[in-house]
Amino acid sequence: IITRYVLTTTCGATLAGSPGPVACAQSNTVIANVLPIPDVLDQPDILVCNLELISPLPFISTVAVPTCLGTSIEYFWTNSNPDIGLPASGMGNIPPFTAQNPGLAIITVTPRITLNGVICEGTSISFNIVVHQPIALACNNGLNISVLY
C-alpha cells in the first residue's frame, strides 16, 4: 500500500490518503495535531545588591500556539544557587523575591508544550543573577559610606 500524507495544518486536521488499487480500494484517514517548537526570548543578566527586591521576571516566546490545541507554552526554570533567595526550581515566570547572600546564580529556562502526553521541548536559555554586597569604606573622620555598584 502506498499512501502519502502532507501535514500542513496544526489543529485536528483530517487528512486522507489516495485510494489504492481495486483490492485495496479504501482510503486511510489520519487526524493530526502538529505542535510548534516553543522558544523563550533571551533574558538579560541581573545585577543587584544584597537585600534588594527583584521584580517578577516574565518569560516571552515568539511562538504562537493555536488556541484550538487547548494548551500553551510552559516555562520550567532551575536556579544553580538557591542561597540568593530564589527556590532551586519552578514553573512559570520567576516570582518577585528579595536577593540575599551575595553570590552568582545561573538560571536556566526551558520552554515546553505538552498535549495528550506528548512533550515538545524548545531550546533552553540561561542568564545570571548576581547579588553584590555593598562595600563599606572607612574614612579618616570615622564615617562609614556604603557604595552601591
Side-chain angles (χ1 to χ4, degrees):
I1 298 175
I2 298 175
T3 58
R4 182 181 355 180
Y5 299 97
V6 179
L7 302 178
T8 58
T9 57
T10 56
C11 297
T14 302
L15 305 170
S18 351
V22 178
C24 300
Q26 293 186 343
S27 175
N28 295 319
T29 300
V30 173
I31 296 178
N33 288 310
V34 180
L35 296 176
I37 297 174
D39 69 356
V40 59
L41 295 180
D42 285 334
Q43 183 81 19
D45 289 347
I46 297 170
L47 306 171
V48 295
C49 286
N50 194 33
L51 302 178
E52 187 174 330
L53 179 66
I54 295 181
S55 299
L57 301 175
F59 299 117
I60 300 170
S61 177
T62 61
V63 174
V65 179
T67 55
C68 59
L69 289 177
T71 189
S72 61
I73 298 173
E74 297 174 312
Y75 301 98
F76 293 85
W77 52 266
T78 59
N79 168 15
S80 69
N81 183 4
D83 289 342
I84 67 161
L86 179 67
S89 63
M91 186 180 97
N93 295 325
I94 292 179
F97 68 98
T98 300
Q100 57 190 14
N101 301 319
L104 167 69
I106 300 169
I107 311 300
T108 303
V109 183
T110 305
R112 183 183 298 165
I113 298 173
T114 304
L115 180 65
N116 298 328
V118 175
I119 297 173
C120 185
E121 195 167 277
T123 302
S124 299
I125 63 157
S126 293
F127 64 96
N128 299 320
I129 297 177
V130 181
V131 181
H132 292 283
Q133 180 69 42
I135 299 171
L137 300 176
C139 298
N140 289 337
N141 64 4
L143 178 65
N144 290 325
I145 301 171
S146 182
V147 178
L148 303 177
Y149 57 96

